[in-house]
Amino acid sequence: MGFESSNGTASPKLLKFLIYGRTGWIGGLLGKLCQSQGIDFTYGSGRLENRSSLEADLVAVNPTHVFNAAGVTGRPNVDWCESHKVETIRTNVAGTLTLADVCREKGLVLINYATGCIFEYDSSHPLGSGIGFKEEDTPNFIGSFYSKTKAMVEDLLRNYENVCTLRVRMPISSDLANPRNFITKITRYEKVVNIPNSMTILDELLPISIEMAKRNLTGIYNFTNPGVVSHNEILEMYRDYIDPGFTWKNFTLEEQAKVIVAPRSNNELDTAKLKQEFPELLPIKESLIKYVFKPNQKTAAA
């Protein structure tokens, strides 16, 4: 679905992006991508929950498109949200809705980086079946307060025809030193579960999100690479390409539950809609090798 933006243009010289989330991982990467593509961009200075500050940003910047990579995920992880519920609502719900509303008033497309951690394997989408959750499916995972707020806001944003919601999951990048990187996280854990999941390779998918803005695409998209990959499969690649001496230990979901506050989402998302728009999109394991492990390879052969 497309939106009749007030600034429908695809020429890099005529594009101007307003990006929220300057200090975040995705927001920082977006800025670097804009620089490399010669796209004019500015980071928003307003607070998402402060409508007048957002309106002031739009007047000052006069963007063609707005990107929302701001939000509360919690530090060091989503367990933080369990004890900071009001702060989580303020940014993830009130703030995101305010930005969407302000953009709609101005006739602007909002690219909103959301989450796919609002589903979990069930009897209709069993683990290992290859049957993924589609964009129109109703979220079935509210085990964490973070996921609960994200599911709420996604449902409300369906009513905003100017919003493009991108369901990101377990984001991975070629920067293996970044503590937010899913690979970096699991290599540092004492023990890991081993469950196939849909995941997002940012090096491949963030440029696609810029292209989606240029095309003024709106609606919900499962924003992951096709297929699933398990924790062990990733760690095996890490061992084969990066550190031959690397070892790890597994534990069960029941054992994991004892060391975390809130349950975690595990699922497969159906990527047919995104793949139809971008046929070149690589399956998850191919993307991991091309964008993450090959560029970082330290072993002689893998």
Side-chain angles (χ1 to χ4, degrees):
M1 191 167 88
F3 177 69
E4 288 300 317
S5 167
S6 61
N7 295 294
T9 176
S11 169
K13 290 182 180 177
L14 298 173
L15 291 167
K16 180 147 195 190
F17 293 168
L18 175 59
I19 301 171
Y20 287 92
R22 177 181 205 142
T23 59
W25 183 25
I26 289 178
L29 290 174
L30 269 178
K32 289 177 183 174
L33 273 174
C34 288
Q35 285 176 333
S36 68
Q37 293 187 22
I39 296 171
D40 190 11
F41 75 98
T42 301
Y43 283 110
S45 56
R47 302 291 299 173
L48 291 192
E49 63 272 18
N50 185 333
R51 188 181 186 93
S52 59
S53 71
L54 300 182
E55 290 171 336
D57 279 348
L58 291 179
V59 170
V61 177
N62 191 28
T64 58
H65 300 81
V66 181
F67 290 74
N68 180 31
V72 171
T73 55
R75 294 291 174 93
N77 54 50
V78 296
D79 284 343
W80 180 92
C81 299
E82 300 298 316
S83 55
H84 297 79
K85 291 183 176 178
V86 171
E87 296 95 321
T88 305
I89 292 168
R90 186 181 297 133
T91 303
N92 290 359
V93 182
T96 303
L97 290 172
T98 302
L99 182 59
D101 199 58
V102 168
C103 289
R104 185 178 182 275
E105 281 193 344
K106 295 284 187 182
L108 294 170
V109 166
L110 171 65
I111 304 291
N112 184 50
Y113 297 94
T115 184
C117 292
I118 52 178
F119 296 99
E120 62 180 342
Y121 291 117
D122 63 12
S123 57
S124 301
H125 310 81
L127 189 154
S129 68
I131 301 169
F133 290 91
K134 293 183 165 64
E135 282 77 5
E136 60 273 16
D137 287 338
T138 302
N140 69 345
F141 177 79
I142 51 170
S144 70
F145 190 74
Y146 167 80
S147 292
K148 197 173 181 179
T149 63
K150 289 292 195 172
M152 286 176 187
V153 81
E154 181 186 277
D155 188 45
L156 292 168
L157 286 176
R158 288 178 189 271
N159 300 291
Y160 283 83
E161 72 281 5
N162 63 311
V163 175
C164 182
T165 293
L166 303 179
R167 289 175 175 165
V168 175
R169 286 207 80 236
M170 299 176 165
I172 290 169
S173 85
S174 54
D175 179 8
L176 295 179
N178 192 307
R180 309 307 300 256
N181 191 333
F182 180 75
I183 296 176
T184 311
K185 285 182 180 180
I186 64 172
T187 58
R188 294 177 180 177
Y189 288 162
E190 188 180 339
K191 292 181 179 179
V192 293
V193 292
N194 182 37
I195 303 171
N197 271 282
S198 286
M199 303 187 192
T200 302
I201 308 298
L202 295 175
D203 303 68
E204 180 172 18
L205 281 157
L206 280 189
I208 283 177
S209 68
I210 289 176
E211 182 58 34
M212 294 173 86
K214 292 177 184 177
R215 298 181 192 181
N216 289 324
L217 296 178
T218 56
I220 297 172
Y221 284 85
N222 287 335
F223 204 60
T224 59
N225 290 83
V228 292
V229 64
S230 71
H231 299 66
N232 281 7
E233 285 173 321
I234 288 177
L235 293 175
E236 285 164 8
M237 290 182 197
Y238 184 85
R239 179 194 63 204
D240 294 345
Y241 283 89
I242 312 295
D243 180 3
F246 182 79
T247 60
W248 66 95
K249 295 176 184 175
N250 290 123
F251 65 163
T252 64
L253 278 175
E254 291 73 26
E255 290 170 319
Q256 182 196 48
K258 294 174 184 175
V259 296
I260 57 177
V261 177
R264 302 295 194 258
S265 154
N266 292 290
N267 69 55
E268 177 171 356
L269 299 180
D270 185 302
T271 54
K273 182 179 177 182
L274 186 64
K275 182 89 172 164
Q276 185 174 357
E277 192 73 38
F278 298 95
E280 68 276 17
L281 185 62
L282 290 177
I284 183 65
K285 292 171 191 174
E286 290 180 30
S287 189
L288 272 167
I289 291 168
K290 178 178 178 179
Y291 290 100
V292 180
F293 288 115
K294 281 283 188 187
N296 284 293
Q297 185 167 355
K298 290 186 171 68
T299 57

